[in-house]
Amino acid sequence: MRVGVYKIPMNDPADVSALRGLIEAGEVDPRLIVASIGKTEGNGGANDFTRALATLSFSRLLGDYLDLRPEEVQERVAFVWSGGCEGVISPHATFFTRDDSVTGTPTAGGGLALSVQRTRAFLPEEVGRMPEVQEVASATRRALAELEIVDPRDVHYVQVKGPLLTPARIRDAERRGATVVTTDPNRSKAYARGATALGVALALGEVQADQVSDATIANDLNLFTSVASTSAGGELVSCEVLVFANSPRSSSPFRIGHALLRDAVDAAGVRSALQSAGLSFADVPSAEQRGRIAAIFAKAEAPPGGQLRGWRTTMLSDADINYERHARAAVGAVIASVTGDPAIFVSGGTEHQGPPGQAPIAAIVATE
Amino acid sequence: MRVGVYKIPMNDPADVSALRGLIEAGEVDPRLIVASIGKTEGNGGANDFTRALATLSFSRLLGDYLDLRPEEVQERVAFVWSGGCEGVISPHATFFTRDDSVTGTPTAGGGLALSVQRTRAFLPEEVGRMPEVQEVASATRRALAELEIVDPRDVHYVQVKGPLLTPARIRDAERRGATVVTTDPNRSKAYARGATALGVALALGEVQADQVSDATIANDLNLFTSVASTSAGGELVSCEVLVFANSPRSSSPFRIGHALLRDAVDAAGVRSALQSAGLSFADVPSAEQRGRIAAIFAKAEAPPGGQLRGWRTTMLSDADINYERHARAAVGAVIASVTGDPAIFVSGGTEHQGPPGQAPIAAIVATE
Amino acid sequence: MRVGVYKIPMNDPADVSALRGLIEAGEVDPRLIVASIGKTEGNGGANDFTRALATLSFSRLLGDYLDLRPEEVQERVAFVWSGGCEGVISPHATFFTRDDSVTGTPTAGGGLALSVQRTRAFLPEEVGRMPEVQEVASATRRALAELEIVDPRDVHYVQVKGPLLTPARIRDAERRGATVVTTDPNRSKAYARGATALGVALALGEVQADQVSDATIANDLNLFTSVASTSAGGELVSCEVLVFANSPRSSSPFRIGHALLRDAVDAAGVRSALQSAGLSFADVPSAEQRGRIAAIFAKAEAPPGGQLRGWRTTMLSDADINYERHARAAVGAVIASVTGDPAIFVSGGTEHQGPPGQAPIAAIVATE
Amino acid sequence: MRVGVYKIPMNDPADVSALRGLIEAGEVDPRLIVASIGKTEGNGGANDFTRALATLSFSRLLGDYLDLRPEEVQERVAFVWSGGCEGVISPHATFFTRDDSVTGTPTAGGGLALSVQRTRAFLPEEVGRMPEVQEVASATRRALAELEIVDPRDVHYVQVKGPLLTPARIRDAERRGATVVTTDPNRSKAYARGATALGVALALGEVQADQVSDATIANDLNLFTSVASTSAGGELVSCEVLVFANSPRSSSPFRIGHALLRDAVDAAGVRSALQSAGLSFADVPSAEQRGRIAAIFAKAEAPPGGQLRGWRTTMLSDADINYERHARAAVGAVIASVTGDPAIFVSGGTEHQGPPGQAPIAAIVATE
C-alpha cells in the first residue's frame, strides 16, 4: 500500500483549482483519492455553510473525472471539513490517495497507512449512546484488520465524523415514541463527539468495555483516547472513520506520529508530535525538517474554567466570539510558530479526546 | 532612580482589587505610581468602553489614597489600555512605580528607567501632521535628558498615546476654516499613530529631519522606529510619552530589551526580545528564566496582503471579526507559548513602528 | 405625589452631560431622582461592561450634587440598564423623579405613580427559587400599599432587577454544602428572571400561591404576569422592584398603559400600549400624539422554534450574533416605526413575562 | 407575456426542495424560469459564501430538468442573492417565470412584465466609471424596448447585479498599466453600485447625460434613480439588469409599485409602496390585502451621520456588527410589521438609489 498526501491551498470554499492542477499535471490520480481533511473559512458554528460548499465543489470536480454525480463521489470519498480559520489558520485541504497496487519495499519502521470505514446509519435515539460507541469500535477494528495493525500503538490518528441531532431528527424520534440523549441540537454535539471518541478508545484498548456505558458518555472525562479527533455534523446519519497508522505493509514515503497538547499554548506538545513522527531535533526543528512536515491535525479547547496557567482568559465569557474560535486561533498560531506553516487542521471539541483540558495533535512527516 | 514593575490580574475592567491588595500590604506605594499599561476585555474598536471603565476605576482607587479626584489622578498617572483579549490574552495591568529618592548601587549594565512626558494639546488640524511629530520628538528628547541617556540604543520601548480625530473635533476645525488630515475618524488613527511613531524615530535618530514631512506620514513606511508602540484615542488632546530605557542612573532590579517580530508567528522574535533583555538561553528559556519575565509589550499586525509565509490568511476578508483581533490572538498565543504566561500586552496598528509587516516587541526581565 | 419623567440622550456610556444640563437648568432636582431605566451600547452579554460604566458615571454625577459616594448613590437610586442598541435603538436613559411633597389636584383617572422597593439579600441557593419568588411578591405588595393601589389593573409595568449565579457565588454555595438551581451562570439568568416574574404575578393575583413551586420556575410558562419586565445581573445580591401604576394619589402629568406584543413584528401591540396609556387614534398616532409619548419599555424574544408567522428566522442558529440581539433589533425598529422615536427600552428574556412567545410592552404618555 | 412570481422558503442555502416541489407538482415550468431574487443567511460581507452555495444548488436543480450544466443554467437564469438575514428576515427566494407564448387579455392598467438583460464584460478599469454607466443604460433601454414601455413611470424596480474590483482584477489592470477607480476592493462596491444606478437613472430620464461623469459617481448623491436596487459581487464581470414594469402587453395577474423609504423606520413608505402597487387602504392593509402581497424588495441604509430622527444610533461605530446588518434588521422588521411576512428582500448600499439617506422599496401585489 502506498498513501499519498497532498496539501492544497483554497482561495475560497469553492476553489478546487489547486487539486485540478495536480490532477491535470498527472501528480494525483483522482481514482485513488479516498479522503480529504481541511479547513474552510466559515464561523465553525451551526450556520457555517462553507463546509457544504467545499464538499459540493470538490465532489463535482472529482465527479467530472470519475463520471459520477457529486452524491456518488461523496459515498466514495470521505470529506472532513472544520470551519473557522481564526488567527493565522489558512483555508486548505489535505487530500489522501491510497494505491493498493503498489507493493514496493516497505518503509523502514512502517510507512503511513490509511483505512476509511463507514458504520451503518444510526437512528436518532442511538446518537451519542452505546450503539454508536459499539459501531465506531467495530469500524475501527475493521480498519486495524485491513491495515494488519497488531500493536495499537502504531495508530496515531483516528478522525471520526458522525451525525448530531437536528431538530428534524429529534422530531422523528419523538414521533416514534423514542427518547433522544438531549433535545438541544447544540448539546448533542458533545454526546456525539464523546460517543465516537469512546468507540475509538474501546477498539484501541485505551478503555475497557465494562468502563463504558450511556452514563459515562460526555460525562466521565477520565476515560479517553489519545489519538482520536471526532466531529459531528447535521448532514450525516452514519459515521466515517479514518484510521491513520504506521504499517509494515506500507511503502508510503511518510510516517505519522502524535502527542498531547497540555493546553492552548503548548509548543512543547507540538514539538513532541513532530518528534513522534520521526523528526529528530532538540528544541527547534531545522528549515529542512520544517520542509518535511506534510500535515498537522490538532484539537483545540478552552482551558478548564477559562484559567490558563493561572491567568484568566476571556474565552468562556465572550458573547461576541465563541470560545472555540478563540481556542483555534491560539492553537493554530502556536503550531505555525513551530512548523512555519499556517495551513493547519485545528478543530474544536475534545470530549474523551485526551485527558480533561488536553487535546491530541498528530503530524505526518516525509521520511526523507 | 528605582522603577518597580507590578503585573496584576483583573477579573473585569473595574476590578482594582489586586492593586488595592498590593497597596494595603505595603508592597506598592500609591504615591510612586507613574504609569500603567494593560489589556481590557473589550472589542478594541471604536465602541470599546472597557478602557474608560478601567481608567475611571483605577483612578478612583488611587484618588482615595492620594486624596485626589479621578480626573486629577489621570493628570498624574499615565493609564495606557489596549482593548481586545483575543485567544489566550489575559486581562491585566502592569503598574510602574518610580522612586527618585533611591540612590542605591546602579544595576550592572544599567537598570530599568522610565520617564513619562506629556506634549501640549493639539488642534484637530495638527493631529497626524508635522506639529504632532515635532512635539512628540521634543517630549522624547526631554525624557532622554531626564534619564541621562546618551546612547539611543539604551532605549528599548516608547509607548505613545495620543489623540485621534473625533466627529466633534473635525466639526470644530471646519468651523474655524481649518482642514484636517482626514474627515474619517477611523482613518485618522493611522495618521495619528504614524505621526507619533515618526516623532519617536526622529528623537532617537532612526530617521532624519529632512526625511519627514506631512506627505510621508502613514505613507512612506520605510521610515520607522524599532522601539515605539503608539496608539490613538478619542479621549485625548495631548500625547503621553512613556520612555523605557536601561540607565546607569537606575538601581532597578529589572532590565528591558527589544526585538522585531517578522510576522504574527515569529517565536524566534519573541526569544530575541528576551535575550535582548538579558536572558541567556539557546532555543527555549528555562522555567527559572520564564519566572523572571516581568512584562512583554508587543504590536500585532495582519501580514501584507493577508499572505503569511506563502499561505493565505482570512484576516483581511473577515466581515465578522476585525483583522486586528485575529492578529492579536495569534501574536498573543505565540508569545505565551514561549514565556508560559498569557498576561501579555499586545496591541494593533503598526504604522512606522518597525519595517512594513513587522512589529516591535519589548521585554522587561528581572535581573535575578 | 408627582412623578417626573426625563428621557436623555447619551453620547457614550459615561456621558452624563444631558442630565447635568437638566440639573444645572433647574429642571431636575437631583434629590428627587429615585430611578433610571436605560439602554447602553454594549453587546448585552456576560462581557458587557457598559452598564457598569453608566451606573458609575451617573452615580458620580449625582454624588457630586448630593455629597455622597457613588456607592451610596446606588443604594438610593435604582439604576436599570439593558445593554445592546441593535438596529435603530438609541443609547439613552429615562430618569424618574418622585416628589411626595406635591399635593396638587390628582390627575383625572389617576396619574403616573412609582414605588421603588428592595428585597433582602439572597443566598446563592435561593436565587431562581421560591424564596426569591416570595420576597419579590412581598416587595411588590409593599409598593402597592405605598401607592394605595387597590385594583391590580392599575399596575402597568413592574421592572425587577435581581441577582444571577456567578461562578464565585456558585463556589460559595458549594463550599457550604448548599446546592444551587444550576451551576451554569448563563442558564441561571432564566431561573432568576422567571422567579422574579412569578413573584410579581403572585402579588398582582395573576397566578395563585398553590400554582407556584420550584418546579414551575422557568418551566411551566403558562403561568405568567402581563406587566413585569425582569432582568438578572451579576453585580446584585438583592432585588430592586420598580412598580409603575396610575394612582388617584398622583398629580403627575403622565399616565401609563401596557399591552402584549404577540411577536417581534407586532405593530398592533405597540399601538395598543399607546392606546392603553390614553392616546386615542384609529391606526396611526398623529404627530401631536407622538410628541406626547414620554417612554416605551418592551421585552423582545425569539419566536418559538425560530418560526415567525410561518417563516423560518435564523435567530436561533446564528453563531455570530446572539438571538437576543436579533430580537431587540426587530422589536426596537417596529416600535420606532410607530412612535417615530428610536430611544426605546427593549430588553431580552421573557420567562413568565407574558404568554409563551409573547412579550409585555408599557408606554408612558403625557396627559396633555 | 405572462410573468409568474413564486416565493419559496429555504431551510439552508442549499435547500432547493420547495422549488423542486413546485416543479414536480407542475406549478412551475423550469424552462420558463428567467430570474430569482433572494436572501441567504450569511453575513453579507466579503466572506459570505452562502450566495455561491445557493446559486450552485439551484442551478444544479434546474440543470437536471433542462439537461444543462450548472454553469450553463447561470448564463440563462439571473440569480440575485443578498446575504444577511438579520432580525426577522427569513431566508427565501422569489423565482420569476416568463411565458411569452401567453397572449391572453392584458391586465387592466398593465400587468407585471420583466425583462432580463446582460451587458458586455467590463475591464477592471471600467468598473465604477462611465463605460459601466453607459452599458447599463443601454441594457435598461433594451429592456424598455422589449417590454414596449413608453412611459418610464411604468418602471418600478430595476435590480442590477454587477462586478466589483477584486485583488486579482486590480492586479490585472496594474499589469496592463491601467488605473482603477480605487485599489480598495471594499470601497469599489460603492463605485460599482453607484455607476450601475446612474446607468438606470440615465435610461429612465431621471438624470441627464451631461450631469453624469466619472467625477459624479458615488460622489454627487443628489443625482439618483428612485427605482433601482444595485449590488456588486466579485464573481461577475458583466452586469445583469432586471427591469420590472407594468406593461399593457402583459396578462400577468400581478402589478408592481414602488415608493421611497425616508429612513430605516418609515412604515409610511412601506404602505406607500403597497398602495402604489394597487392595494387601497387607509392606514393598515386588511388581512385579505396582506395575503395578496407577492414580494417586497427594499434597500436599507444607515442614517446620515448615524442620526435617526434626532437620536444617535450606534450603527456606524459598532466594531462587532457591520452597519448594513443593523440597517437590514431594522428595515426588515418594519416591513414585516406592515405586511405580516418576514420573507423580504432587503439589501444594503444605496449610492444614487434614492435621495441621500433614503432608499427605494418595490412591491409586487396580486391583482385579485
Side-chain angles (χ1 to χ4, degrees), chain A residues 9-12 41 85 87-88 90-91 265 283-284 290 308-309 311-315 326 330 333-334 337 340-343, chain B residues 9-11 41 85 87-88 90-91 265 283 290 308-309 311-315 325-326 329-330 333-334 337 340-343:
Chain A
M10 294 167 65
N11 282 318
D12 61 69
E41 55 199 290
C85 288
V88 299
S90 182
V265 295
D283 285 324
V284 175
R290 288 180 172 210
L308 186 80
R309 305 203 181 178
W311 288 88
R312 181 176 70 102
T313 71
T314 63
M315 296 188 196
H326 283 288
V334 170
S337 78
D341 176 349
Chain B
M10 292 167 66
N11 282 318
E41 56 200 289
C85 288
V88 299
S90 181
V265 295
D283 285 327
R290 289 179 172 210
L308 185 80
R309 304 202 184 178
W311 288 88
R312 180 175 70 101
T313 70
T314 63
M315 295 188 198
R325 307 198 76 174
H326 283 289
V334 170
S337 78
D341 175 351

Side-chain angles (χ1 to χ4, degrees), chain A residues 23-339:
Chain A
I23 294 172
E24 293 296 322
E27 290 189 49
V28 170
D29 182 343
R31 295 167 300 180
L32 300 181
I33 291 174
V34 292
S36 81
I37 300 177
K39 290 292 305 179
T40 56
E41 55 199 290
N43 62 25
N47 65 327
D48 182 349
F49 303 100
T50 57
R51 298 171 293 215
L53 179 57
T55 296
L56 181 54
S57 300
F58 279 103
S59 54
R60 281 190 72 211
L61 176 76
L62 295 180
D64 284 347
Y65 286 107
L66 304 173
D67 201 22
L68 296 173
R69 284 184 60 82
E71 289 73 13
E72 295 167 320
V73 173
Q74 290 162 36
E75 285 169 19
R76 176 185 170 127
V77 176
F79 291 99
V80 178
W81 301 105
S82 162
C85 288
E86 297 83 7
V88 299
I89 298 173
S90 182
H92 75 282
T94 300
F95 276 84
F96 296 95
T97 56
R98 173 173 148 169
D99 189 349
D100 289 352
S101 69
V102 174
T103 52
T105 318
T107 307
L112 179 65
L114 166 59
S115 175
V116 179
Q117 301 291 333
R118 282 180 179 75
T119 68
R120 66 167 170 82
F122 294 106
L123 291 168
E125 57 267 35
E126 294 176 323
V127 169
R129 287 184 173 146
M130 285 307 292
E132 194 173 18
V133 174
Q134 302 290 7
E135 291 294 327
V136 169
S138 297
T140 306
R141 287 190 196 102
R142 287 197 301 275
L144 298 182
E146 195 208 19
L147 299 178
E148 295 178 18
I149 301 293
V150 287
D151 185 345
R153 285 174 298 181
D154 287 331
V155 178
H156 292 274
Y157 176 42
V158 183
Q159 177 71 42
V160 187
K161 181 189 163 194
L164 54 74
L165 292 173
T166 61
R169 305 203 79 211
I170 294 167
R171 281 195 299 272
D172 167 58
E174 287 171 349
R175 211 158 26 223
R176 292 181 291 100
T179 55
V180 290
V181 66
T182 172
T183 55
D184 178 346
N186 270 314
R187 193 135 173 66
S188 77
K189 291 170 80 171
Y191 289 103
R193 288 188 300 233
T196 55
L198 286 173
V200 175
L202 209 53
L204 297 181
E206 296 173 283
V207 305
Q208 302 308 316
D210 59 3
Q211 294 179 289
V212 187
S213 69
D214 281 353
T216 54
I217 299 169
N219 197 6
D220 181 358
L221 300 176
N222 291 312
L223 302 175
F224 58 85
T225 168
S226 292
V227 295
S229 164
T230 69
S231 67
E235 71 281 16
L236 292 178
V237 292
S238 62
C239 290
E240 295 177 336
V241 181
L242 288 68
V243 175
F244 293 82
N246 293 322
S247 160
R249 280 189 58 205
S250 165
S251 57
S252 310
F254 298 99
R255 281 181 61 81
I256 188 165
H258 81 278
L260 281 172
L261 297 174
R262 255 192 320 142
D263 60 25
V265 295
D266 184 16
V270 180
R271 290 191 283 263
S272 291
L274 297 174
Q275 290 159 341
S276 162
L279 293 186
S280 293
F281 59 90
D283 285 324
V284 175
S286 69
E288 186 271 340
Q289 289 174 319
R290 288 180 172 210
R292 282 165 53 200
I293 303 169
I296 300 272
F297 308 95
K299 275 277 177 176
E301 190 60 85
Q307 295 286 122
L308 186 80
R309 305 203 181 178
W311 288 88
R312 181 176 70 102
T313 71
T314 63
M315 296 188 196
L316 297 177
S317 60
D318 191 340
D320 294 316
I321 302 177
N322 184 272
Y323 73 88
E324 290 194 359
R325 308 199 75 175
H326 283 288
R328 284 192 297 257
V331 171
V334 170
I335 294 173
S337 78
V338 174
T339 66

Side-chain angles (χ1 to χ4, degrees), chain B residues 41-357:
Chain B
E41 56 200 289
N43 62 25
N47 64 328
D48 181 349
F49 303 101
T50 56
R51 298 171 292 216
L53 178 57
T55 296
L56 182 53
S57 300
F58 279 103
S59 54
R60 280 190 72 210
L61 175 76
L62 295 180
D64 284 347
Y65 288 106
L66 304 174
D67 200 22
L68 295 174
R69 282 183 61 82
E71 289 73 13
E72 293 168 321
V73 172
Q74 290 162 36
E75 285 169 21
R76 176 186 169 128
V77 176
F79 291 98
V80 177
W81 301 104
S82 163
C85 288
E86 297 83 6
V88 299
I89 298 173
S90 181
H92 74 283
T94 301
F95 275 83
F96 297 95
T97 55
R98 174 173 148 170
D99 189 349
D100 289 351
S101 69
V102 174
T103 51
T105 317
T107 308
L112 178 65
L114 164 60
S115 175
V116 179
Q117 301 291 332
R118 281 178 178 78
T119 68
R120 66 166 170 83
F122 293 106
L123 290 167
E125 57 267 35
E126 293 176 322
V127 170
R129 287 188 172 141
M130 286 306 294
E132 194 173 18
V133 174
Q134 301 292 6
E135 291 293 328
V136 169
S138 296
T140 307
R141 288 191 196 103
R142 286 198 301 276
L144 298 182
E146 195 206 21
L147 299 178
E148 295 178 20
I149 301 292
V150 286
D151 186 346
R153 285 175 297 183
D154 288 331
V155 177
H156 291 273
Y157 177 42
V158 182
Q159 177 71 42
V160 187
K161 183 188 163 196
L164 53 73
L165 292 173
T166 61
R169 304 203 79 209
I170 294 168
R171 280 194 299 273
D172 167 58
E174 288 171 349
R175 211 160 25 224
R176 291 180 293 101
T179 56
V180 291
V181 67
T182 173
T183 55
D184 177 347
N186 269 314
R187 191 132 177 67
S188 76
K189 290 170 79 170
Y191 290 103
R193 288 188 300 234
T196 54
L198 286 173
V200 175
L202 210 53
L204 298 181
E206 295 173 283
V207 303
Q208 302 308 315
D210 60 2
Q211 293 178 289
V212 187
S213 69
D214 280 353
T216 54
I217 298 169
N219 197 6
D220 180 358
L221 299 177
N222 290 311
L223 302 175
F224 58 85
T225 169
S226 292
V227 294
S229 165
T230 69
S231 67
E235 71 280 16
L236 291 179
V237 292
S238 62
C239 290
E240 295 177 336
V241 180
L242 287 68
V243 175
F244 293 81
N246 294 321
S247 160
R249 279 191 57 208
S250 164
S251 57
S252 310
F254 298 100
R255 280 182 61 80
I256 188 166
H258 81 279
L260 281 171
L261 297 174
R262 256 192 321 141
D263 59 26
V265 295
D266 184 17
V270 180
R271 291 191 282 263
S272 291
L274 297 175
Q275 290 159 341
S276 162
L279 293 186
S280 292
F281 59 91
D283 285 327
V284 174
S286 68
E288 184 271 340
Q289 288 174 320
R290 289 179 172 210
R292 281 165 52 201
I293 303 169
I296 299 273
F297 309 95
K299 275 278 177 175
E301 190 60 86
Q307 295 287 122
L308 185 80
R309 304 202 184 178
W311 288 88
R312 180 175 70 101
T313 70
T314 63
M315 295 188 198
L316 297 177
S317 61
D318 190 340
D320 294 315
I321 302 178
N322 185 272
Y323 73 89
E324 289 194 0
R325 307 198 76 174
H326 283 289
R328 282 192 297 256
V331 171
V334 170
I335 294 173
S337 78
V338 174
T339 65
D341 175 351
I344 309 150
F345 184 82
V346 182
S347 70
T350 60
E351 300 84 359
H352 302 297
Q353 301 152 64

Side-chain angles (χ1 to χ4, degrees), chain C residues 1 34 98 100 113-117 139-149 241 243 247 249:
Chain C
M1 181 199 301
V34 292
R98 172 173 149 169
D100 290 352
L114 165 60
S115 175
V116 179
Q117 300 291 333
T140 307
R141 287 190 197 103
R142 286 199 300 275
L144 298 182
E146 195 206 20
L147 299 179
E148 295 177 19
I149 301 292
V241 181
V243 176
S247 161
R249 279 190 58 208

